[in-house]
Amino acid sequence: MNDFDMNKQAFKDSCKMFRWEIEEYNELEIRESLSEIDKQAMIFMHEDIHYIQNIFDNLKEMFGYTAFIIMWLYYVEGKTKKEIAEQFDMPRNKVAKYINKWEHALFE
């Protein structure tokens, strides 16, 4: 597996956990006492949350809000390219082309 594929897969895996990590992090943050395991988990979640936020911030800065929304729907919401194409009333292959372009810009 090359660097592009590894970076893309790491992003995809983190996106799957993104919402859960935010909820879990916020719950742990309000607890009065934390175990060492909880503290370590919070460090990991904090880093992962910021990793995803930074990627999406970079995407929005480089390509605009539409790119941000499409990639959010695809990676975080788990929508298919077909579903996104229908939502934006555009051909599926155009959505696929945009996603591919943005992935290469972000992960190469």
Side-chain angles (χ1 to χ4, degrees):
M1 187 179 281
N2 61 34
D3 286 346
F4 169 77
D5 291 330
M6 288 181 3
N7 293 337
K8 182 178 158 183
Q9 188 62 49
F11 178 72
K12 184 177 182 179
D13 292 343
S14 291
C15 283
K16 287 179 184 177
M17 300 295 293
F18 185 68
R19 287 183 172 174
W20 175 84
E21 283 179 327
I22 290 172
E23 289 176 26
E24 187 67 19
Y25 184 87
N26 289 337
E27 285 181 28
L28 288 171
E29 200 169 39
I30 61 174
R31 284 193 191 164
E32 289 185 24
S33 63
L34 296 173
S35 69
E36 284 304 312
I37 292 172
D38 288 338
K39 290 176 186 176
Q40 290 299 316
M42 282 187 73
I43 292 168
F44 173 80
M45 287 185 278
H46 184 265
E47 290 172 358
D48 206 38
I49 290 165
H50 283 282
Y51 164 70
I52 295 300
Q53 289 172 332
N54 287 336
I55 293 285
F56 277 106
D57 287 346
N58 290 339
L59 177 69
K60 190 170 22 173
E61 186 176 309
M62 290 188 301
F63 297 103
Y65 193 68
T66 301
F68 172 90
I69 293 296
I70 289 173
M71 291 289 274
W72 182 273
L73 290 171
Y74 186 65
Y75 277 100
V76 177
E77 300 286 331
K79 301 277 186 183
T80 66
K81 293 171 185 169
K82 182 180 183 224
E83 290 170 326
I84 296 167
E86 289 170 357
Q87 183 173 342
F88 282 85
D89 195 28
M90 62 180 14
R92 184 208 164 283
N93 64 337
K94 191 168 189 172
V95 171
K97 181 179 174 182
Y98 282 137
I99 290 173
N100 186 54
K101 173 185 171 182
W102 299 328
E103 288 171 340
H104 281 276
L106 293 170
F107 305 126
E108 284 189 332

